[in-house]
């Protein structure tokens, strides 16, 4: 069992404790002139796990991917794939290791002059597999991604979602230890994105495939990842189980990245808030895990009748864990402390965001 002290890994998944690391980066640094694209990244991905890496543009995501597939050499630190450090390997030594990594891309990267089955079989041709074996494997893979009827079609006749299915089938042809997804759903509409994510999750379960996905779409991570790492300025600034990080982000960059998918105080109310304690106190109330399943507000109403009103919010479910975020208003100043005490007593994270004088 692996328990490296240098690798940051926080997760509640039982899988995490039992599975070996497929990928392990230790203190990886890569500078371009004065820019530290990777500034001491330590990260691990365990067998069968889906790790999402999120970060703004320029955070270091592409450099991280290139270090993983050997296209970029770190200045220092180690990159291990299935326990083997690839940082010192020659181009020739890297070739068989690259086959252990399947990649899918935003723009699919299919060969337009080749049919779907030829695209899927291409990595096997490069490996030297006989034609009959290649086509048999391509047929299996097209079946896996639900595209058996398109084997003889050309990419130009396919929709974006179908093209990505071909991309996934091709990435799996060499039975990789790791699937690297580089913004693979960024060019797809929401419905197609959802179908591709469902397919990736299905393959992850069926094949126990390890997936590392790099994305700027929080929804992608929310939907299929087990764990998330946030990269900023070449450093991993936050990492943990997706439900845990998404329900209680610690870092301002993480908070701002998650703004698109967490309930936010409606803008017209946020603009009216002042720190002067006059008017209705507006509170954010965050809860995750079992406590989020309790009738918190019904209980608060019973305990302190007419003490608050619900303004905005809701309950999400991430990795089957309820994650609740609400905004409430308390008009009577004498009720504010009792409300805060009650909510804190129920393990909620409560913050007074400000006061809305217009409600007077
Ligand atoms: P991301 O993929 O998150 O947008 P990158 O890994 O592409 O981030 O870039 C991280 C930082 O490193 C950026 O400041 C970028 O300008 C710089 N960088 C990346 N590749 C190069 C390069 N080949 N030459 C010079 N600077 C680079």
């Amino acid at each position: 069992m692996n328990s490296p002290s240098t690798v940051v890994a926080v997760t509640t998944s039982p899988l995490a404790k039992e599975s070996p690391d497929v990928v392990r980066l230790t203190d990886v640094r890569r500078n371009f002139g004065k820019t530290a694209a990777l500034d001491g990244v330590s990260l691990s991905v365990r067998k069968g796990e889906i790790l999402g890496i999120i970060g703004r543009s320029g955070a270091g995501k592409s450099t991280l991917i290139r270090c993983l597939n050997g296209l970029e050499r770190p200045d220092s630190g180690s990159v291990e794939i299935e326990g083997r450090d690839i940082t010192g390997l020659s181009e020739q030594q890297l070739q068989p290791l690259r086959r252990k990594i399947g990649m899918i891309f935003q723009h699919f990267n299919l060969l337009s002059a080749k049919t779907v089955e030829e695209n899927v079989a291409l990595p096997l041709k490069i490996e030297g597999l006989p034609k009959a074996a290649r086509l048999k494997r391509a047929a299996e893979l097209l079946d896996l991604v639900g595209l058996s009827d398109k084997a003889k079609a050309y990419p130009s006749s396919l929709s974006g979602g179908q093209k990505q299915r071909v991309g996934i089938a091709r990435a799996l042809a060499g039975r990789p230890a790791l699937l690297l997804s580089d913004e693979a759903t960024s060019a797809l509409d929401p419905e197609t994105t959802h179908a591709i994510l469902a397919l990736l999750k299905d393959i992850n379960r069926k094949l126990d495939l390890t997936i590392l996905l790099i994305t700027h779409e929080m929804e992608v991570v929310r939907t299929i990842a087990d764990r998330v790492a946030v990269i900023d300025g070449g450093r991993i600034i936050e990492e943990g189980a997706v439900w845990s990080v998404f329900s209680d982000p610690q870092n301002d960059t993480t908070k701002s990245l998650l703004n698109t998918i967490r309930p936010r105080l409606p803008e017209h109310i946020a603009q009216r808030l002042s720190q002067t304690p006059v008017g209705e106190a507006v509170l954010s109330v965050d809860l995750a895990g079992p406590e989020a399943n309790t009738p918190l507000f019904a209980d608060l109403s019973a305990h302190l009748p007419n003490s608050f009103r619900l303004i905005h919010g809701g309950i999400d479910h991430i990795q089957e864990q309820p994650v609740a975020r609400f905004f409430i208003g308390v008009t009577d100043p004498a009720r504010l402390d009792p409300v805060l005490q009650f909510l804190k007593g129920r393990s909620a994270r409560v913050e007074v965001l400000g006061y809305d004088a217009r409600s007077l």
Side-chain angles (χ1 to χ4, degrees):
M1 200 165 75
N2 294 297
S3 54
S5 59
T6 47
V7 176
V8 184
V10 185
T11 171
T12 55
S13 160
L15 170 129
K17 296 184 189 88
E18 291 153 17
S19 306
D21 289 341
V22 170
V23 177
R24 191 187 301 171
L25 276 71
T26 309
D27 200 20
V28 171
R29 292 171 193 274
R30 180 71 176 107
N31 297 312
F32 296 105
K34 285 193 175 135
T35 306
L38 297 178
D39 191 15
V41 169
S42 294
L43 197 69
S44 61
V45 196
R46 292 173 184 82
K47 172 100 183 99
E49 185 178 39
I50 303 183
L51 175 72
I53 296 189
I54 57 176
R56 295 186 177 124
S57 173
K61 303 184 294 297
S62 308
T63 309
L64 182 66
I65 281 210
R66 290 203 304 276
C67 284
L68 274 172
N69 61 21
L71 289 176
E72 192 88 67
R73 274 177 210 283
D75 298 326
S76 63
S78 66
V79 177
E80 289 169 60
I81 307 289
E82 289 195 312
R84 180 150 186 218
D85 188 357
I86 66 165
T87 41
L89 298 185
S90 68
E91 197 50 35
Q92 202 179 6
Q93 289 169 317
L94 270 174
Q95 287 307 328
L97 276 168
R98 282 214 182 99
R99 276 185 227 124
K100 293 193 164 207
I101 302 177
M103 272 203 77
I104 51 175
F105 310 88
Q106 181 172 3
H107 296 298
F108 323 122
N109 295 15
L110 303 179
L111 296 179
S112 57
K114 300 227 175 269
T115 62
V116 162
E117 69 178 359
E118 286 167 346
N119 265 284
V120 174
L122 194 65
L124 303 173
K125 192 174 182 182
I126 296 167
E127 252 181 60
L129 215 68
K131 187 167 182 187
R134 293 200 302 263
L135 291 180
K136 181 167 177 283
R137 176 91 181 118
E140 284 167 14
L141 288 160
L142 287 173
D143 183 44
L144 181 71
V145 300
L147 271 189
S148 296
D149 57 332
K150 298 287 183 193
K152 306 290 179 201
Y154 283 88
S156 58
S157 69
L158 304 181
S159 68
Q162 288 171 331
K163 284 180 190 161
Q164 196 54 291
R165 284 172 191 270
V166 179
I168 292 169
R170 181 188 53 188
L172 297 179
R175 301 182 197 278
L178 172 72
L179 179 69
L180 266 182
S181 168
D182 187 2
E183 299 282 2
T185 53
S186 297
L188 304 175
D189 61 61
E191 203 179 316
T192 311
T193 293
H194 197 76
I196 292 294
L197 294 180
L199 174 65
L200 287 175
K201 188 81 193 177
D202 186 46
I203 292 170
N204 159 258
R205 287 200 184 116
K206 273 189 190 146
L207 308 181
D208 197 25
L209 182 70
T210 310
I211 303 178
L212 190 153
L213 45 92
I214 299 243
T215 183
H216 70 276
E217 297 175 302
M218 302 306 118
E219 188 59 31
V220 168
V221 172
R222 195 194 83 87
T223 309
I224 65 164
D226 301 306
R227 215 151 47 89
V228 61
V230 186
I231 186 167
D232 193 39
R235 294 176 153 269
I236 303 295
I237 54 165
E238 196 158 353
E239 183 185 5
V242 174
W243 76 270
S244 162
V245 172
F246 278 33
S247 63
D248 188 15
Q250 299 295 312
N251 194 283
D252 283 346
T253 302
T254 314
K255 286 180 191 166
S256 128
L257 285 167
L258 293 178
N259 263 342
T260 51
I261 61 163
R262 300 178 83 213
R264 278 199 296 169
L265 192 62
E267 199 53 39
H268 67 284
I269 300 176
Q271 278 179 2
R272 288 205 302 264
L273 291 192
S274 135
Q275 293 308 309
T276 312
V278 175
E280 181 182 46
V282 175
L283 284 57
S284 63
V285 182
D286 282 282
L287 263 180
E291 282 291 340
N293 265 339
T294 62
L296 179 69
F297 293 116
D299 294 348
L300 176 59
S301 253
H303 183 65
L304 295 164
N306 302 320
S307 57
F308 74 100
R309 71 175 180 115
L310 280 177
I311 298 174
H312 185 68
I315 304 179
D316 193 4
H317 288 83
I318 306 177
Q319 296 178 289
E320 299 180 11
Q321 293 280 351
V323 172
R325 181 163 174 77
F326 285 94
F327 298 92
I328 67 170
V330 178
T331 310
D332 180 357
R335 297 291 192 89
L336 183 55
D337 269 342
V339 166
L340 290 172
Q341 291 315 317
F342 179 89
L343 293 172
K344 285 177 184 167
R346 295 285 291 265
S347 307
R349 281 177 289 111
V350 195
E351 198 183 331
V352 179
L353 302 174
Y355 297 82
D356 182 0
R358 196 171 121 172
S359 61
L360 286 177

